[in-house]
Short mmCIF file of all heavy atoms in Angstrom, two decimals:
data_model
loop_
_atom_site.label_atom_id
_atom_site.label_comp_id
_atom_site.label_asym_id
_atom_site.label_seq_id
_atom_site.Cartn_x
_atom_site.Cartn_y
_atom_site.Cartn_z
N MET O 416 71.32 53.97 114.66
CA MET O 416 70.38 53.36 115.58
C MET O 416 69.55 54.42 116.30
O MET O 416 68.40 54.18 116.64
CB MET O 416 71.15 52.48 116.56
CG MET O 416 70.28 51.68 117.47
SD MET O 416 69.36 50.49 116.51
CE MET O 416 68.86 49.38 117.74
N ASP O 417 70.12 55.59 116.54
CA ASP O 417 69.41 56.63 117.25
C ASP O 417 68.19 57.11 116.46
O ASP O 417 67.12 57.34 117.03
CB ASP O 417 70.36 57.80 117.53
CG ASP O 417 69.71 58.85 118.40
OD1 ASP O 417 68.96 58.47 119.32
OD2 ASP O 417 69.96 60.05 118.16
N ARG O 418 68.32 57.23 115.16
CA ARG O 418 67.18 57.65 114.34
C ARG O 418 66.09 56.59 114.32
O ARG O 418 64.91 56.91 114.25
CB ARG O 418 67.63 57.93 112.90
CG ARG O 418 68.41 59.20 112.78
CD ARG O 418 68.71 59.48 111.34
NE ARG O 418 69.41 60.74 111.24
CZ ARG O 418 69.34 61.51 110.20
NH1 ARG O 418 68.64 61.15 109.16
NH2 ARG O 418 69.98 62.65 110.18
N PHE O 419 66.49 55.33 114.40
CA PHE O 419 65.52 54.24 114.41
C PHE O 419 64.67 54.31 115.68
O PHE O 419 63.45 54.13 115.62
CB PHE O 419 66.26 52.90 114.32
CG PHE O 419 65.36 51.72 114.18
CD1 PHE O 419 64.59 51.55 113.04
CD2 PHE O 419 65.27 50.78 115.19
CE1 PHE O 419 63.75 50.46 112.92
CE2 PHE O 419 64.44 49.69 115.07
CZ PHE O 419 63.69 49.54 113.93
N ILE O 420 65.29 54.56 116.82
CA ILE O 420 64.55 54.68 118.07
C ILE O 420 63.63 55.89 118.04
O ILE O 420 62.48 55.83 118.49
CB ILE O 420 65.54 54.77 119.26
CG1 ILE O 420 66.39 53.50 119.35
CG2 ILE O 420 64.80 55.02 120.57
CD1 ILE O 420 65.61 52.23 119.58
N LEU O 421 64.11 57.00 117.49
CA LEU O 421 63.26 58.19 117.37
C LEU O 421 62.07 57.94 116.44
O LEU O 421 60.98 58.47 116.66
CB LEU O 421 64.07 59.38 116.89
CG LEU O 421 65.07 59.95 117.90
CD1 LEU O 421 65.87 61.08 117.27
CD2 LEU O 421 64.36 60.43 119.14
N LEU O 422 62.27 57.13 115.42
CA LEU O 422 61.18 56.75 114.53
C LEU O 422 60.13 55.95 115.28
O LEU O 422 58.92 56.16 115.10
CB LEU O 422 61.71 55.97 113.34
CG LEU O 422 60.67 55.47 112.34
CD1 LEU O 422 59.99 56.64 111.66
CD2 LEU O 422 61.33 54.56 111.33
N MET O 423 60.56 55.06 116.15
CA MET O 423 59.62 54.26 116.94
C MET O 423 58.83 55.17 117.90
O MET O 423 57.62 55.00 118.07
CB MET O 423 60.36 53.19 117.75
CG MET O 423 61.03 52.14 116.92
SD MET O 423 59.86 51.17 115.99
CE MET O 423 60.53 51.35 114.36
N VAL O 424 59.49 56.14 118.51
CA VAL O 424 58.80 57.08 119.40
C VAL O 424 57.79 57.92 118.61
O VAL O 424 56.68 58.17 119.08
CB VAL O 424 59.82 57.96 120.15
CG1 VAL O 424 59.12 59.05 120.93
CG2 VAL O 424 60.67 57.11 121.07
N ALA O 425 58.17 58.32 117.40
CA ALA O 425 57.25 59.07 116.55
C ALA O 425 56.03 58.23 116.18
O ALA O 425 54.91 58.75 116.12
CB ALA O 425 57.97 59.55 115.30
N CYS O 426 56.22 56.95 115.97
CA CYS O 426 55.09 56.06 115.67
C CYS O 426 54.16 55.93 116.87
O CYS O 426 52.94 55.86 116.71
CB CYS O 426 55.61 54.70 115.23
SG CYS O 426 56.42 54.71 113.64
N ILE O 427 54.73 55.89 118.07
CA ILE O 427 53.90 55.83 119.27
C ILE O 427 53.08 57.11 119.40
O ILE O 427 51.88 57.07 119.70
CB ILE O 427 54.78 55.60 120.52
CG1 ILE O 427 55.38 54.19 120.47
CG2 ILE O 427 53.97 55.78 121.80
CD1 ILE O 427 56.42 53.93 121.53
N LEU O 428 53.71 58.25 119.16
CA LEU O 428 52.98 59.52 119.22
C LEU O 428 51.89 59.59 118.15
O LEU O 428 50.81 60.13 118.40
CB LEU O 428 53.95 60.69 119.08
CG LEU O 428 54.90 60.91 120.25
CD1 LEU O 428 55.88 62.03 119.94
CD2 LEU O 428 54.13 61.20 121.51
N ALA O 429 52.17 59.06 116.98
CA ALA O 429 51.15 59.02 115.93
C ALA O 429 49.98 58.12 116.34
O ALA O 429 48.82 58.42 116.04
CB ALA O 429 51.76 58.53 114.62
N GLY O 430 50.28 57.04 117.03
CA GLY O 430 49.22 56.17 117.54
C GLY O 430 48.33 56.90 118.54
O GLY O 430 47.10 56.79 118.51
N PHE O 431 48.97 57.67 119.45
CA PHE O 431 48.18 58.46 120.39
C PHE O 431 47.34 59.51 119.67
O PHE O 431 46.21 59.80 120.06
CB PHE O 431 49.08 59.14 121.43
CG PHE O 431 49.48 58.21 122.55
CD1 PHE O 431 50.82 57.95 122.78
CD2 PHE O 431 48.54 57.62 123.36
CE1 PHE O 431 51.21 57.12 123.81
CE2 PHE O 431 48.92 56.78 124.39
CZ PHE O 431 50.26 56.52 124.61
N ALA O 432 47.88 60.08 118.60
CA ALA O 432 47.12 61.06 117.83
C ALA O 432 45.91 60.40 117.17
O ALA O 432 44.82 61.00 117.13
CB ALA O 432 48.01 61.71 116.78
N LEU O 433 46.07 59.19 116.67
CA LEU O 433 44.94 58.48 116.07
C LEU O 433 43.87 58.14 117.11
O LEU O 433 42.67 58.15 116.80
CB LEU O 433 45.41 57.21 115.38
CG LEU O 433 45.97 57.36 113.98
CD1 LEU O 433 46.49 56.02 113.48
CD2 LEU O 433 44.91 57.88 113.04
N ILE O 434 44.30 57.84 118.32
CA ILE O 434 43.33 57.54 119.37
C ILE O 434 42.52 58.78 119.72
O ILE O 434 41.30 58.71 119.92
CB ILE O 434 44.05 56.99 120.63
CG1 ILE O 434 44.65 55.62 120.33
CG2 ILE O 434 43.10 56.90 121.80
CD1 ILE O 434 45.57 55.10 121.41
N ASN O 435 43.17 59.93 119.77
CA ASN O 435 42.51 61.15 120.23
C ASN O 435 41.85 61.97 119.12
O ASN O 435 41.22 62.99 119.43
CB ASN O 435 43.52 62.04 120.96
CG ASN O 435 43.94 61.42 122.27
OD1 ASN O 435 43.16 60.76 122.91
ND2 ASN O 435 45.19 61.63 122.63
N VAL O 436 41.97 61.57 117.88
CA VAL O 436 41.41 62.37 116.80
C VAL O 436 39.88 62.36 116.88
O VAL O 436 39.26 61.35 117.19
CB VAL O 436 41.90 61.88 115.42
CG1 VAL O 436 41.30 60.55 115.03
CG2 VAL O 436 41.62 62.90 114.34
N SER O 437 39.29 63.51 116.67
CA SER O 437 37.83 63.64 116.72
C SER O 437 37.30 63.78 115.29
O SER O 437 37.55 64.77 114.63
CB SER O 437 37.44 64.85 117.56
OG SER O 437 36.05 65.00 117.52
N LEU O 438 36.56 62.80 114.87
CA LEU O 438 36.01 62.82 113.52
C LEU O 438 34.51 63.09 113.51
O LEU O 438 33.85 62.89 112.49
CB LEU O 438 36.30 61.48 112.83
CG LEU O 438 37.77 61.15 112.61
CD1 LEU O 438 37.91 59.74 112.04
CD2 LEU O 438 38.43 62.16 111.71
N THR O 439 33.98 63.55 114.62
CA THR O 439 32.54 63.84 114.67
C THR O 439 32.21 65.00 113.76
O THR O 439 33.01 65.91 113.54
CB THR O 439 32.10 64.16 116.11
OG1 THR O 439 32.90 65.23 116.62
CG2 THR O 439 32.25 62.95 117.01
N ASP O 440 31.05 64.97 113.21
CA ASP O 440 30.53 65.99 112.28
C ASP O 440 31.35 66.11 111.01
O ASP O 440 31.42 67.18 110.40
CB ASP O 440 30.44 67.37 112.97
CG ASP O 440 29.47 67.35 114.14
OD1 ASP O 440 28.54 66.53 114.10
OD2 ASP O 440 29.65 68.16 115.06
N THR O 441 32.01 65.04 110.61
CA THR O 441 32.71 65.00 109.32
C THR O 441 32.20 63.78 108.56
O THR O 441 31.51 62.92 109.10
CB THR O 441 34.24 64.89 109.48
OG1 THR O 441 34.55 63.63 110.08
CG2 THR O 441 34.78 66.02 110.34
N PHE O 442 32.57 63.71 107.30
CA PHE O 442 32.15 62.56 106.51
C PHE O 442 32.95 61.30 106.88
O PHE O 442 32.60 60.21 106.46
CB PHE O 442 32.29 62.86 105.01
CG PHE O 442 33.70 63.03 104.54
CD1 PHE O 442 34.40 61.98 103.99
CD2 PHE O 442 34.33 64.27 104.67
CE1 PHE O 442 35.70 62.14 103.55
CE2 PHE O 442 35.62 64.44 104.24
CZ PHE O 442 36.31 63.38 103.67
N LEU O 443 33.99 61.44 107.71
CA LEU O 443 34.80 60.30 108.15
C LEU O 443 34.35 59.77 109.51
O LEU O 443 35.06 58.97 110.12
CB LEU O 443 36.27 60.71 108.22
CG LEU O 443 36.92 61.11 106.91
CD1 LEU O 443 38.32 61.63 107.16
CD2 LEU O 443 36.95 59.95 105.96
N ALA O 444 33.21 60.20 110.00
CA ALA O 444 32.75 59.80 111.34
C ALA O 444 32.58 58.29 111.46
O ALA O 444 32.78 57.73 112.53
CB ALA O 444 31.45 60.51 111.67
N SER O 445 32.25 57.63 110.37
CA SER O 445 32.07 56.18 110.43
C SER O 445 33.40 55.44 110.58
O SER O 445 33.42 54.27 110.96
CB SER O 445 31.35 55.68 109.18
OG SER O 445 32.12 55.94 108.03
N LEU O 446 34.51 56.12 110.30
CA LEU O 446 35.83 55.48 110.42
C LEU O 446 36.47 55.68 111.79
O LEU O 446 37.57 55.20 112.03
CB LEU O 446 36.77 56.03 109.35
CG LEU O 446 36.42 55.71 107.91
CD1 LEU O 446 37.41 56.37 106.98
CD2 LEU O 446 36.38 54.23 107.69
N GLU O 447 35.80 56.37 112.70
CA GLU O 447 36.40 56.66 114.01
C GLU O 447 36.74 55.40 114.80
O GLU O 447 37.83 55.33 115.39
CB GLU O 447 35.49 57.57 114.83
CG GLU O 447 36.18 58.11 116.06
CD GLU O 447 35.46 59.30 116.65
OE1 GLU O 447 34.36 59.63 116.18
OE2 GLU O 447 36.02 59.88 117.57
N PRO O 448 35.91 54.35 114.83
CA PRO O 448 36.32 53.13 115.54
C PRO O 448 37.56 52.47 114.92
O PRO O 448 38.40 51.93 115.62
CB PRO O 448 35.10 52.22 115.44
CG PRO O 448 33.97 53.10 115.14
CD PRO O 448 34.51 54.26 114.40
N VAL O 449 37.66 52.56 113.61
CA VAL O 449 38.81 51.96 112.92
C VAL O 449 40.10 52.71 113.27
O VAL O 449 41.13 52.09 113.56
CB VAL O 449 38.58 51.95 111.39
CG1 VAL O 449 39.81 51.45 110.66
CG2 VAL O 449 37.37 51.11 111.05
N THR O 450 40.04 54.04 113.29
CA THR O 450 41.24 54.81 113.62
C THR O 450 41.64 54.60 115.08
O THR O 450 42.83 54.59 115.40
CB THR O 450 41.04 56.31 113.35
OG1 THR O 450 39.95 56.80 114.13
CG2 THR O 450 40.80 56.57 111.89
N THR O 451 40.67 54.40 115.94
CA THR O 451 40.97 54.13 117.35
C THR O 451 41.68 52.79 117.50
O THR O 451 42.68 52.69 118.22
CB THR O 451 39.68 54.16 118.19
OG1 THR O 451 39.05 55.42 118.03
CG2 THR O 451 39.99 53.92 119.66
N VAL O 452 41.20 51.78 116.82
CA VAL O 452 41.82 50.45 116.89
C VAL O 452 43.23 50.49 116.31
O VAL O 452 44.17 49.92 116.88
CB VAL O 452 40.95 49.40 116.18
CG1 VAL O 452 41.69 48.09 116.01
CG2 VAL O 452 39.66 49.19 116.94
N ILE O 453 43.41 51.15 115.18
CA ILE O 453 44.74 51.27 114.57
C ILE O 453 45.68 52.02 115.51
O ILE O 453 46.85 51.63 115.67
CB ILE O 453 44.65 51.95 113.20
CG1 ILE O 453 43.94 51.04 112.20
CG2 ILE O 453 46.03 52.31 112.67
CD1 ILE O 453 43.64 51.69 110.87
N GLY O 454 45.20 53.06 116.15
CA GLY O 454 46.02 53.82 117.09
C GLY O 454 46.44 52.98 118.29
O GLY O 454 47.60 53.01 118.71
N ILE O 455 45.51 52.22 118.84
CA ILE O 455 45.83 51.35 119.98
C ILE O 455 46.85 50.30 119.58
O ILE O 455 47.81 50.03 120.31
CB ILE O 455 44.54 50.72 120.54
CG1 ILE O 455 43.69 51.78 121.21
CG2 ILE O 455 44.86 49.59 121.52
CD1 ILE O 455 42.30 51.31 121.60
N LEU O 456 46.66 49.70 118.42
CA LEU O 456 47.62 48.69 117.96
C LEU O 456 49.00 49.29 117.71
O LEU O 456 50.02 48.67 118.05
CB LEU O 456 47.11 48.02 116.68
CG LEU O 456 45.96 47.04 116.85
CD1 LEU O 456 45.47 46.55 115.50
CD2 LEU O 456 46.38 45.88 117.73
N ALA O 457 49.05 50.48 117.16
CA ALA O 457 50.34 51.12 116.91
C ALA O 457 51.06 51.41 118.21
O ALA O 457 52.27 51.13 118.34
CB ALA O 457 50.14 52.42 116.12
N VAL O 458 50.35 51.93 119.20
CA VAL O 458 50.97 52.22 120.48
C VAL O 458 51.47 50.94 121.14
O VAL O 458 52.61 50.88 121.63
CB VAL O 458 49.99 52.97 121.41
CG1 VAL O 458 50.53 53.06 122.82
CG2 VAL O 458 49.70 54.35 120.86
N LEU O 459 50.66 49.90 121.13
CA LEU O 459 51.07 48.64 121.76
C LEU O 459 52.26 48.00 121.06
O LEU O 459 53.23 47.58 121.71
CB LEU O 459 49.89 47.66 121.77
CG LEU O 459 48.81 47.92 122.80
CD1 LEU O 459 47.66 46.95 122.61
CD2 LEU O 459 49.37 47.80 124.19
N ILE O 460 52.20 47.90 119.75
CA ILE O 460 53.26 47.21 119.01
C ILE O 460 54.59 47.94 119.14
O ILE O 460 55.62 47.33 119.46
CB ILE O 460 52.86 47.04 117.53
CG1 ILE O 460 51.72 46.02 117.42
CG2 ILE O 460 54.05 46.62 116.68
CD1 ILE O 460 51.09 45.95 116.07
N PHE O 461 54.59 49.25 118.92
CA PHE O 461 55.85 49.99 118.96
C PHE O 461 56.38 50.12 120.39
O PHE O 461 57.59 50.13 120.60
CB PHE O 461 55.70 51.34 118.28
CG PHE O 461 55.53 51.22 116.80
CD1 PHE O 461 54.34 51.61 116.20
CD2 PHE O 461 56.53 50.72 116.01
CE1 PHE O 461 54.17 51.50 114.84
CE2 PHE O 461 56.36 50.60 114.64
CZ PHE O 461 55.19 50.99 114.05
N SER O 462 55.49 50.19 121.38
CA SER O 462 55.94 50.23 122.77
C SER O 462 56.57 48.91 123.18
O SER O 462 57.63 48.88 123.83
CB SER O 462 54.79 50.56 123.71
OG SER O 462 54.29 51.83 123.46
N LEU O 463 55.94 47.82 122.80
CA LEU O 463 56.52 46.50 123.11
C LEU O 463 57.85 46.30 122.41
O LEU O 463 58.79 45.73 122.98
CB LEU O 463 55.54 45.39 122.73
CG LEU O 463 54.31 45.27 123.62
CD1 LEU O 463 53.34 44.24 123.05
CD2 LEU O 463 54.71 44.92 125.04
N PHE O 464 57.96 46.79 121.19
CA PHE O 464 59.22 46.67 120.47
C PHE O 464 60.33 47.47 121.16
O PHE O 464 61.46 47.00 121.29
CB PHE O 464 59.06 47.14 119.02
CG PHE O 464 60.31 47.01 118.22
CD1 PHE O 464 60.74 45.77 117.78
CD2 PHE O 464 61.07 48.12 117.91
CE1 PHE O 464 61.90 45.64 117.05
CE2 PHE O 464 62.24 48.00 117.17
CZ PHE O 464 62.65 46.75 116.74
N LEU O 465 60.01 48.69 121.62
CA LEU O 465 61.01 49.49 122.34
C LEU O 465 61.40 48.84 123.66
O LEU O 465 62.57 48.88 124.05
CB LEU O 465 60.48 50.90 122.58
CG LEU O 465 60.55 51.84 121.39
CD1 LEU O 465 59.98 53.19 121.77
CD2 LEU O 465 61.96 52.00 120.89
N LEU O 466 60.44 48.23 124.35
CA LEU O 466 60.77 47.50 125.57
C LEU O 466 61.69 46.32 125.28
O LEU O 466 62.64 46.05 126.03
CB LEU O 466 59.49 47.03 126.27
CG LEU O 466 58.69 48.10 126.98
CD1 LEU O 466 57.35 47.53 127.42
CD2 LEU O 466 59.46 48.63 128.15
N TYR O 467 61.42 45.62 124.21
CA TYR O 467 62.26 44.49 123.81
C TYR O 467 63.69 44.95 123.49
O TYR O 467 64.66 44.35 123.94
CB TYR O 467 61.63 43.79 122.60
CG TYR O 467 62.52 42.74 121.99
CD1 TYR O 467 62.69 41.50 122.60
CD2 TYR O 467 63.20 42.98 120.79
CE1 TYR O 467 63.50 40.55 122.03
CE2 TYR O 467 64.01 42.03 120.22
CZ TYR O 467 64.16 40.82 120.85
OH TYR O 467 64.97 39.86 120.30
N LYS O 468 63.80 46.03 122.71
CA LYS O 468 65.12 46.54 122.36
C LYS O 468 65.88 47.02 123.61
O LYS O 468 67.08 46.82 123.73
CB LYS O 468 65.02 47.68 121.35
CG LYS O 468 64.53 47.25 119.98
CD LYS O 468 65.45 46.25 119.36
CE LYS O 468 66.51 46.97 118.55
NZ LYS O 468 67.35 46.05 117.77
N GLY O 469 65.16 47.65 124.54
CA GLY O 469 65.78 48.09 125.78
C GLY O 469 66.25 46.92 126.62
O GLY O 469 67.33 46.95 127.20
N PHE O 470 65.43 45.89 126.70
CA PHE O 470 65.82 44.70 127.46
C PHE O 470 67.04 44.03 126.84
O PHE O 470 67.96 43.62 127.54
CB PHE O 470 64.64 43.72 127.52
CG PHE O 470 64.95 42.46 128.28
CD1 PHE O 470 65.09 42.48 129.66
CD2 PHE O 470 65.12 41.26 127.61
CE1 PHE O 470 65.37 41.33 130.35
CE2 PHE O 470 65.41 40.10 128.29
CZ PHE O 470 65.54 40.13 129.68
N MET O 471 67.06 43.93 125.52
CA MET O 471 68.21 43.32 124.84
C MET O 471 69.48 44.15 125.04
O MET O 471 70.57 43.62 125.12
CB MET O 471 67.92 43.13 123.36
CG MET O 471 67.01 41.99 123.10
SD MET O 471 67.72 40.51 123.81
CE MET O 471 66.53 39.32 123.40
N ALA O 472 69.33 45.47 125.10
CA ALA O 472 70.50 46.33 125.35
C ALA O 472 71.02 46.11 126.77
O ALA O 472 72.24 46.14 127.00
CB ALA O 472 70.13 47.79 125.13
N LEU O 473 70.13 45.88 127.73
CA LEU O 473 70.55 45.62 129.10
C LEU O 473 71.22 44.26 129.23
O LEU O 473 72.18 44.10 129.97
CB LEU O 473 69.37 45.70 130.04
CG LEU O 473 68.84 47.10 130.35
CD1 LEU O 473 67.58 46.99 131.20
CD2 LEU O 473 69.89 47.92 131.06
N VAL O 474 70.70 43.27 128.52
CA VAL O 474 71.27 41.92 128.58
C VAL O 474 72.62 41.89 127.90
O VAL O 474 73.53 41.19 128.32
CB VAL O 474 70.29 40.91 127.95
CG1 VAL O 474 70.92 39.54 127.80
CG2 VAL O 474 69.03 40.82 128.79
N GLY O 475 72.78 42.66 126.84
CA GLY O 475 74.07 42.74 126.18
C GLY O 475 74.11 42.18 124.77
O GLY O 475 75.17 41.96 124.21
N LYS O 476 72.97 41.89 124.21
CA LYS O 476 72.95 41.35 122.85
C LYS O 476 72.68 42.42 121.85
O LYS O 476 72.02 43.33 121.96
CB LYS O 476 71.90 40.26 122.72
CG LYS O 476 72.26 39.03 123.47
CD LYS O 476 71.28 37.93 123.18
CE LYS O 476 71.72 36.66 123.85
NZ LYS O 476 70.91 35.54 123.55
#
């Protein structure tokens, strides 16, 4: 279970990296809004999942 939680934290960090990546002056500049949206969704989904798992651990299930 510990590796699973670390994987979720790594996914959150990857989401932050996608949000902050600078694609200006590259041929991928047109994909910058897409990478930002994917990064935001990754951070939100994995953060909510970790909150849910933490809440369930506190409740006892």
Side-chain angles (χ1 to χ4, degrees):
M416 186 65 162
D417 186 38
R418 287 185 178 209
F419 186 66
I420 298 299
L421 289 177
L422 178 65
M423 295 296 127
V424 172
C426 291
I427 292 171
L428 291 175
F431 280 120
L433 277 175
I434 292 170
N435 291 327
V436 71
S437 176
L438 296 175
T439 55
D440 297 333
T441 66
F442 67 96
L443 297 174
S445 63
L446 294 178
E447 191 164 7
V449 175
T450 60
T451 303
V452 169
I453 291 172
I455 291 170
L456 287 175
V458 170
L459 284 175
I460 290 170
F461 291 114
S462 296
L463 289 174
F464 181 75
L465 281 179
L466 286 171
Y467 171 76
K468 292 299 270 187
F470 180 72
M471 285 303 180
L473 287 174
V474 171
K476 290 187 175 185

